[in-house]
Amino acid sequence: MSFGDPHNPYGQQPQGQPGYGYPQQAPQGVPPQGGYAYPQQAPQGYPGGPGGYPGPHMEMPGGAKAARVILFILGGLQGLAGLVIIVIGAFFGAIFSESSSSSAQEVGAAASIGFVIGGLFVIGLALWPFLTAVKMGKGRNGVRVSGIVYGSLQTLFAGLGLLVNLAALGASDQSSGGPTAIVLLPSVISLALGLTILIGLAKAGDYFKRPQY
C-alpha cells in the first residue's frame, strides 16, 4: 500500500509515525511526562485552586475574625479614652489659670501638661491593636504574634485587676456601703476579651502562615 509522496504535505501520512502534535494518551502504567504538569492535589490545609495549587484566597478562621473585631473595639475605646484624658487636662488647666494665686496657676499648668502627655500616650497605645487588626487580612505571622502579645497583656492586667477587686470586695463591709460584686464586671469583661484574642489567634496559625501571592 502506497502512502504517496512523503514530501507532499497534502498526501496521506503513514500510520503510527510520531507527529508534532501532543500525545493523545500515555501508555498504561506510565505517568505523564514533561515538566509542565501540575500537581493533582493541593497541599494539606489549603483550598485547591486551578491545577491543584493553593487558591488565591483562604477564609479567615472564626476565632481570628472575633479577635480582629475585639482589637478594633479596644483600639477605638483606648483612643477615645486618650482624648477624654486630654480634654480633662485642658479643663483643669483652664480652671487653675483663672486663679489669682501664681502657685495655683503653676500647679494647674503642670497638671494640664501631665494629662495631655498621658492622653497622647494612651492614644499611641491604641494604635497597637488598631493597626494589628487592620493588617490581619493580609498579614504574615508577625501580625499574629503582635495580636497574641497584646491579648496576653490584656489578659494579664485584667486578671490582676480582678484579683485586686476580689481582695477589696472581701475586705469590705458591704452593709456599710462598701463595694459590691458589680465592681468585678469590668475586669471580667476585659479578661474575657483578652482570652478571646489570645485563643483565637493561637489557633489560626495556618491562616497567617499561608503562601502569599
Side-chain angles (χ1 to χ4, degrees), residues 22-114:
Y22 295 98
Q24 299 298 321
Q25 185 175 3
Q28 186 175 5
V30 179
Q33 302 297 317
Y36 299 98
Y38 293 98
Q40 300 302 315
Q41 185 175 2
Q44 185 176 4
Y46 299 99
Y53 281 116
H57 175 72
M58 182 178 180
E59 184 71 18
M60 182 183 296
K65 289 181 179 180
R68 188 183 192 187
V69 172
I70 293 173
L71 287 171
F72 272 125
I73 294 174
L74 292 178
L77 291 177
Q78 289 182 8
L80 182 61
L83 291 176
V84 171
I85 292 173
I86 293 176
V87 171
I88 292 175
F91 177 74
F92 275 110
I95 291 178
F96 283 101
S97 64
E98 297 177 356
S99 175
S100 58
S101 173
S102 59
S103 60
Q105 293 178 0
E106 293 176 357
V107 171
S112 178
I113 294 174

